[in-house]
């Protein structure tokens, strides 16, 4: 996962800003609302990347940073995110963005599993995923067959 703003823990586990792992394996994210003691729950996710993207969106909307270097995935921030959203709207948008990443991850896993079963059943090797076009936002391409799930599809303003 080179290129992402992540810290390495001694256990070798990647830790993104604003993300923690529950004992049972789920990844969660929450953020404090500036000027209050309130925490905004952003959700529970299957992947740390999903939780990190939810945190990034909420962090950007709540804190309006002058630099995007404080984000885990600065290039994944949707261009139309408004810093004038209410905390509830931010919570919803961040949760939906994280769920979109998890959904894309699940689709990728199901597709791989299906391809593996097909290659075993009919004895034909399947084509590998084109990693040059892979991005962690959930858009993958297999030669001639695009699969695109955008975080933007899950935003409601």
């Amino acid at each position: 996962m080179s290129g992402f703003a992540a810290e390495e823990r001694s256990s070798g586990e990647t830790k993104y800003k604003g993300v923690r792992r529950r004992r049972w394996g789920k990844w969660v994210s929450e953020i404090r609302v500036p000027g209050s003691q309130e925490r905004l729950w952003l959700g529970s996710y299957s992947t740390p990347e999903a939780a990190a993207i939810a945190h990034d969106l909420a962090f950007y909307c709540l804190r309006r940073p002058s630099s995007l270097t404080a984000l885990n995935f600065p290039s994944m921030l949707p261009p139309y995110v408004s810093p004038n959203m209410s905390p509830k709207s931010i919570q919803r948008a961040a949760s939906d963005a994280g769920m979109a990443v998890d959904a894309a991850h699940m689709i990728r896993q199901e597709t791989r599993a299906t391809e593996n079963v097909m290659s075993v059943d009919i004895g034909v090797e399947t084509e590998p995923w084109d990693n040059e076009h892979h991005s962690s936002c959930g858009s993958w391409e297999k030669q001639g067959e695009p699969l695109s799930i955008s975080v933007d599809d899950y935003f409601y303003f």
Side-chain angles (χ1 to χ4, degrees):
M1 291 193 187
S2 61
F4 299 129
E7 302 169 6
E8 289 294 323
R9 283 202 250 173
S10 59
S11 66
E13 201 172 285
T14 303
K15 182 172 182 347
Y16 295 104
K17 296 172 192 170
V19 175
R20 70 181 193 281
R21 189 174 191 173
R22 298 270 191 191
R23 285 188 302 253
W24 50 88
K26 288 285 188 177
W27 297 90
V28 298
S29 182
E30 64 184 333
I31 191 169
R32 286 197 185 273
V33 177
S36 76
Q37 300 255 333
E38 179 187 0
R39 289 181 184 214
L40 201 56
W41 178 253
L42 303 176
S44 178
Y45 305 97
S46 300
T47 63
E49 293 81 9
I53 286 177
H55 182 268
D56 283 355
L57 193 138
F59 181 85
Y60 180 79
C61 291
L62 291 170
R63 301 230 166 43
R64 299 176 186 94
S66 58
S67 170
L68 297 181
T69 59
L71 302 177
N72 296 298
F73 300 98
S75 62
M76 298 293 296
L77 196 62
Y80 57 83
V81 172
S82 170
N84 298 323
M85 295 167 48
S86 71
K88 280 292 187 194
S89 295
I90 292 169
Q91 183 180 35
R92 173 74 187 259
S95 175
D96 287 348
M99 288 190 314
V101 172
D102 266 354
H105 177 74
M106 289 174 29
I107 288 171
R108 184 177 68 201
Q109 283 184 324
E110 289 175 11
T111 303
R112 284 182 183 164
T114 302
E115 287 178 348
N116 288 340
V117 168
M118 287 174 45
S119 68
V120 169
D121 286 348
I122 60 176
V124 175
E125 285 189 35
T126 57
E127 299 171 14
W129 286 94
D130 182 5
N131 288 330
E132 291 178 17
H133 293 70
H134 176 266
S135 79
S136 61
C137 72
S139 179
W140 296 272
E141 280 189 24
K142 184 177 173 185
Q143 287 183 338
E145 299 177 34
L147 171 65
S148 179
I149 295 178
S150 171
V151 172
D152 299 339
D153 294 339
Y154 291 88
F155 286 111
Y156 303 101
F157 295 104

